[in-house]
Amino acid sequence: MQSSKGRPRGVGAGQESSIEPLDGHDPGPAEEAVRLRYDDPWYDALASGWGESEGAGAPAAVPRACEAGVRGVAAADVYLEVQRSAAFQEVRRRYRRFVVPAFAAFFAWYVGYVVAATTAPELMARPVAGAVNVALLAGLGQFLTTFLLTWAYARHARLRRDRAALELRWDTQELTRGVNGGAS
């Protein structure tokens, strides 16, 4: 089976396993698609090229539990270890560096609009052009800034966090797969 980028889907650690038909007949194409099972819930993410190491065979940064071959740790310990990792902390730091100032600015703008509308009605009623007044422009500005903030957040996430978060998610899946004895 090929991905949309032309690479085989079986590349990497995500392995395909099939479930044998119980009735003994040869499955058709529709049954074949249902019969295949992917062990990784984010399997299609690798088809897009994300999460793959630069260069062939380059080892990914995997936390200690998997390197040591420890099988006796619980999945909760794996998640705690990933949460304490420097890569996870960097993703959270990048998130907070955008969200906290963006929230503060947008909230101040929203509260300022509400306060101005209730305490300074003569300012808000001041005409700008024809029937358009300051209140109408400020209200439309609320919508505009909402769309701009959404665009800026999505762009920031795509450029600064998504790749690192996907690599962390992949490493976490690899570690939990090792804890669960090869099953997801």
Side-chain angles (χ1 to χ4, degrees):
M1 183 180 287
Q2 294 286 323
S3 71
S4 60
K5 302 281 186 191
R7 290 188 303 267
R9 285 193 158 184
V11 174
Q15 299 294 322
E16 296 178 3
S17 64
S18 61
I19 301 170
E20 296 298 322
L22 296 177
D23 56 1
H25 78 281
D26 205 17
E31 291 176 3
E32 181 72 24
V34 172
R35 194 167 71 94
L36 290 177
R37 182 176 60 84
Y38 299 103
D39 289 334
D40 185 13
W42 296 287
Y43 187 80
D44 286 337
L46 279 185
S48 67
W50 284 39
E52 295 177 11
S53 300
E54 298 294 329
V62 178
R64 293 181 310 270
C66 190
E67 290 174 353
V70 177
R71 295 271 188 215
V73 295
D77 294 334
V78 169
Y79 286 105
L80 286 173
E81 186 174 338
V82 170
Q83 183 181 8
R84 292 180 192 121
S85 72
F88 182 84
Q89 295 304 319
E90 180 61 26
V91 169
R92 295 297 298 168
R93 192 173 11 264
R94 289 177 184 178
Y95 171 78
R96 283 189 301 268
R97 265 190 263 162
F98 179 85
V99 169
V100 171
F103 169 77
F106 187 77
F107 190 71
W109 161 232
Y110 176 75
V111 169
Y113 171 71
V114 172
V115 168
T118 57
T119 61
E122 62 282 349
L123 170 70
M124 300 300 270
R126 184 172 295 158
V128 175
V132 177
N133 60 15
V134 173
L136 182 63
L137 288 179
L140 292 174
Q142 290 286 317
F143 285 104
L144 178 65
T145 55
T146 300
F147 290 120
L148 286 175
L149 184 61
T150 302
W151 169 81
Y153 176 81
R155 182 177 186 273
H156 180 268
R158 185 181 70 244
L159 295 177
R160 307 228 193 278
R161 294 190 325 263
D162 284 351
R163 184 176 302 267
L166 185 63
E167 288 172 3
L168 272 172
R169 185 167 57 188
W170 184 256
D171 291 344
T172 305
Q173 288 298 311
E174 289 296 314
L175 288 171
T176 56
R177 184 176 292 123
V179 167
N180 295 332
S184 299

Short mmCIF file of all heavy atoms in Angstrom, two decimals, residues 49-83:
data_model
loop_
_atom_site.label_atom_id
_atom_site.label_comp_id
_atom_site.label_asym_id
_atom_site.label_seq_id
_atom_site.Cartn_x
_atom_site.Cartn_y
_atom_site.Cartn_z
N GLY A 49 5.69 12.65 5.95
CA GLY A 49 7.09 13.02 6.09
C GLY A 49 7.43 13.58 7.45
O GLY A 49 8.58 13.78 7.77
N TRP A 50 6.45 13.86 8.29
CA TRP A 50 6.72 14.40 9.61
C TRP A 50 7.15 13.28 10.54
O TRP A 50 6.65 12.17 10.46
CB TRP A 50 5.48 15.06 10.16
CG TRP A 50 5.20 16.38 9.55
CD1 TRP A 50 5.35 16.72 8.24
CD2 TRP A 50 4.72 17.53 10.20
NE1 TRP A 50 4.99 18.00 8.06
CE2 TRP A 50 4.58 18.53 9.25
CE3 TRP A 50 4.38 17.80 11.50
CZ2 TRP A 50 4.13 19.78 9.55
CZ3 TRP A 50 3.92 19.05 11.80
CH2 TRP A 50 3.81 20.03 10.83
N GLY A 51 8.03 13.57 11.42
CA GLY A 51 8.44 12.59 12.41
C GLY A 51 9.53 11.67 11.92
O GLY A 51 10.06 10.89 12.67
N GLU A 52 9.88 11.76 10.64
CA GLU A 52 10.94 10.92 10.12
C GLU A 52 12.26 11.61 10.39
O GLU A 52 12.37 12.83 10.30
CB GLU A 52 10.76 10.70 8.62
CG GLU A 52 9.51 9.91 8.31
CD GLU A 52 9.29 9.74 6.82
OE1 GLU A 52 10.22 10.04 6.06
OE2 GLU A 52 8.22 9.31 6.45
N SER A 53 13.27 10.85 10.71
CA SER A 53 14.57 11.42 11.01
C SER A 53 15.21 11.91 9.72
O SER A 53 15.02 11.34 8.65
CB SER A 53 15.47 10.36 11.64
OG SER A 53 14.88 9.91 12.83
N GLU A 54 15.99 12.98 9.84
CA GLU A 54 16.76 13.47 8.71
C GLU A 54 17.90 12.48 8.49
O GLU A 54 18.67 12.19 9.38
CB GLU A 54 17.32 14.87 9.00
CG GLU A 54 16.27 15.92 9.23
CD GLU A 54 15.43 16.20 7.99
OE1 GLU A 54 15.95 16.09 6.87
OE2 GLU A 54 14.25 16.52 8.15
N GLY A 55 18.02 11.95 7.33
CA GLY A 55 19.07 10.99 7.04
C GLY A 55 18.62 9.59 7.38
O GLY A 55 17.88 9.35 8.30
N ALA A 56 19.10 8.63 6.61
CA ALA A 56 18.67 7.25 6.79
C ALA A 56 19.31 6.66 8.04
O ALA A 56 20.51 6.78 8.27
CB ALA A 56 19.05 6.42 5.58
N GLY A 57 18.50 6.03 8.84
CA GLY A 57 18.99 5.28 9.98
C GLY A 57 19.41 6.13 11.17
O GLY A 57 20.03 5.63 12.08
N ALA A 58 19.13 7.43 11.16
CA ALA A 58 19.50 8.27 12.29
C ALA A 58 18.61 7.93 13.48
O ALA A 58 17.40 7.91 13.35
CB ALA A 58 19.35 9.75 11.93
N PRO A 59 19.21 7.63 14.63
CA PRO A 59 18.38 7.26 15.77
C PRO A 59 17.63 8.46 16.33
O PRO A 59 18.16 9.56 16.38
CB PRO A 59 19.40 6.73 16.79
CG PRO A 59 20.68 7.39 16.41
CD PRO A 59 20.63 7.60 14.92
N ALA A 60 16.41 8.24 16.72
CA ALA A 60 15.60 9.29 17.34
C ALA A 60 15.98 9.41 18.80
O ALA A 60 16.49 8.47 19.41
CB ALA A 60 14.12 8.97 17.20
N ALA A 61 15.74 10.57 19.38
CA ALA A 61 16.02 10.78 20.79
C ALA A 61 14.94 10.09 21.61
O ALA A 61 13.82 10.55 21.69
CB ALA A 61 16.05 12.26 21.12
N VAL A 62 15.30 8.95 22.18
CA VAL A 62 14.35 8.16 22.95
C VAL A 62 14.76 8.22 24.41
O VAL A 62 15.93 8.05 24.73
CB VAL A 62 14.33 6.69 22.46
CG1 VAL A 62 13.39 5.85 23.28
CG2 VAL A 62 13.99 6.62 21.00
N PRO A 63 13.82 8.47 25.31
CA PRO A 63 14.15 8.51 26.73
C PRO A 63 14.72 7.20 27.25
O PRO A 63 14.65 6.16 26.60
CB PRO A 63 12.81 8.84 27.39
CG PRO A 63 12.07 9.59 26.34
CD PRO A 63 12.48 8.95 25.05
N ARG A 64 15.22 7.24 28.48
CA ARG A 64 16.00 6.16 29.06
C ARG A 64 15.28 4.81 29.14
O ARG A 64 15.89 3.78 28.97
CB ARG A 64 16.43 6.55 30.47
CG ARG A 64 17.41 7.67 30.51
CD ARG A 64 17.81 7.97 31.93
NE ARG A 64 16.68 8.12 32.83
CZ ARG A 64 16.06 9.26 33.09
NH1 ARG A 64 16.44 10.35 32.50
NH2 ARG A 64 15.06 9.33 33.93
N ALA A 65 14.00 4.76 29.43
CA ALA A 65 13.32 3.49 29.69
C ALA A 65 13.43 2.55 28.51
O ALA A 65 13.61 1.35 28.68
CB ALA A 65 11.85 3.73 30.02
N CYS A 66 13.33 3.06 27.29
CA CYS A 66 13.39 2.20 26.12
C CYS A 66 14.83 1.79 25.83
O CYS A 66 15.10 0.69 25.41
CB CYS A 66 12.78 2.90 24.91
SG CYS A 66 12.55 1.81 23.51
N GLU A 67 15.79 2.71 26.04
CA GLU A 67 17.18 2.40 25.77
C GLU A 67 17.69 1.29 26.66
O GLU A 67 18.43 0.43 26.23
CB GLU A 67 18.04 3.65 25.99
CG GLU A 67 17.82 4.72 24.94
CD GLU A 67 18.57 6.00 25.28
OE1 GLU A 67 19.14 6.09 26.40
OE2 GLU A 67 18.58 6.90 24.44
N ALA A 68 17.28 1.30 27.92
CA ALA A 68 17.74 0.30 28.86
C ALA A 68 17.04 -1.04 28.68
O ALA A 68 17.43 -2.03 29.25
CB ALA A 68 17.52 0.79 30.29
N GLY A 69 15.99 -1.07 27.87
CA GLY A 69 15.27 -2.31 27.65
C GLY A 69 14.40 -2.69 28.83
O GLY A 69 14.11 -3.85 29.03
N VAL A 70 14.01 -1.73 29.61
CA VAL A 70 13.22 -1.99 30.81
C VAL A 70 11.80 -2.34 30.40
O VAL A 70 11.14 -1.59 29.72
CB VAL A 70 13.21 -0.76 31.75
CG1 VAL A 70 12.33 -1.01 32.95
CG2 VAL A 70 14.62 -0.42 32.16
N ARG A 71 11.33 -3.52 30.81
CA ARG A 71 9.98 -3.96 30.48
C ARG A 71 9.04 -3.83 31.67
O ARG A 71 7.85 -3.90 31.52
CB ARG A 71 9.98 -5.42 30.02
CG ARG A 71 10.72 -5.66 28.75
CD ARG A 71 9.79 -5.48 27.60
NE ARG A 71 10.47 -5.91 26.39
CZ ARG A 71 10.29 -5.34 25.24
NH1 ARG A 71 9.47 -4.34 25.12
NH2 ARG A 71 10.91 -5.78 24.18
N GLY A 72 9.60 -3.63 32.87
CA GLY A 72 8.78 -3.64 34.07
C GLY A 72 8.17 -2.30 34.44
O GLY A 72 7.58 -2.19 35.49
N VAL A 73 8.35 -1.27 33.61
CA VAL A 73 7.78 0.03 33.96
C VAL A 73 6.36 0.13 33.43
O VAL A 73 6.01 -0.47 32.43
CB VAL A 73 8.63 1.19 33.38
CG1 VAL A 73 9.99 1.21 34.01
CG2 VAL A 73 8.74 1.10 31.89
N ALA A 74 5.54 0.89 34.11
CA ALA A 74 4.16 1.07 33.70
C ALA A 74 4.08 2.18 32.66
O ALA A 74 4.98 3.00 32.53
CB ALA A 74 3.31 1.42 34.92
N ALA A 75 2.98 2.20 31.93
CA ALA A 75 2.77 3.23 30.92
C ALA A 75 2.75 4.61 31.55
O ALA A 75 3.23 5.58 30.97
CB ALA A 75 1.49 2.97 30.15
N ALA A 76 2.21 4.72 32.77
CA ALA A 76 2.18 6.01 33.46
C ALA A 76 3.60 6.53 33.70
O ALA A 76 3.85 7.73 33.58
CB ALA A 76 1.43 5.88 34.78
N ASP A 77 4.54 5.63 34.00
CA ASP A 77 5.93 6.03 34.19
C ASP A 77 6.53 6.55 32.90
O ASP A 77 7.32 7.50 32.91
CB ASP A 77 6.76 4.86 34.71
CG ASP A 77 6.33 4.42 36.10
OD1 ASP A 77 5.78 5.27 36.84
OD2 ASP A 77 6.53 3.24 36.43
N VAL A 78 6.15 5.96 31.79
CA VAL A 78 6.63 6.42 30.48
C VAL A 78 6.15 7.84 30.23
O VAL A 78 6.92 8.71 29.83
CB VAL A 78 6.17 5.46 29.36
CG1 VAL A 78 6.45 6.07 27.99
CG2 VAL A 78 6.86 4.12 29.49
N TYR A 79 4.88 8.08 30.48
CA TYR A 79 4.33 9.42 30.24
C TYR A 79 4.95 10.45 31.18
O TYR A 79 5.21 11.58 30.78
CB TYR A 79 2.81 9.41 30.36
CG TYR A 79 2.15 8.76 29.18
CD1 TYR A 79 1.62 7.48 29.28
CD2 TYR A 79 2.10 9.41 27.96
CE1 TYR A 79 1.04 6.88 28.18
CE2 TYR A 79 1.52 8.80 26.86
CZ TYR A 79 0.99 7.53 26.98
OH TYR A 79 0.41 6.94 25.89
N LEU A 80 5.21 10.07 32.43
CA LEU A 80 5.87 10.99 33.35
C LEU A 80 7.29 11.29 32.89
O LEU A 80 7.75 12.43 32.98
CB LEU A 80 5.88 10.42 34.77
CG LEU A 80 4.54 10.45 35.49
CD1 LEU A 80 4.63 9.70 36.81
CD2 LEU A 80 4.09 11.88 35.72
N GLU A 81 7.98 10.28 32.40
CA GLU A 81 9.34 10.49 31.91
C GLU A 81 9.35 11.41 30.69
O GLU A 81 10.19 12.30 30.59
CB GLU A 81 9.96 9.13 31.56
CG GLU A 81 11.42 9.24 31.17
CD GLU A 81 12.04 7.87 30.97
OE1 GLU A 81 11.52 6.88 31.51
OE2 GLU A 81 13.05 7.81 30.26
N VAL A 82 8.41 11.22 29.79
CA VAL A 82 8.32 12.10 28.62
C VAL A 82 7.97 13.51 29.06
O VAL A 82 8.53 14.49 28.55
CB VAL A 82 7.29 11.55 27.60
CG1 VAL A 82 7.01 12.56 26.52
CG2 VAL A 82 7.80 10.26 26.98
N GLN A 83 7.08 13.65 30.03
CA GLN A 83 6.69 14.97 30.52
C GLN A 83 7.88 15.70 31.13
O GLN A 83 7.99 16.92 31.02
CB GLN A 83 5.57 14.85 31.54
CG GLN A 83 5.08 16.19 32.04
CD GLN A 83 3.98 16.05 33.07
OE1 GLN A 83 3.68 14.96 33.52
NE2 GLN A 83 3.39 17.15 33.43
#
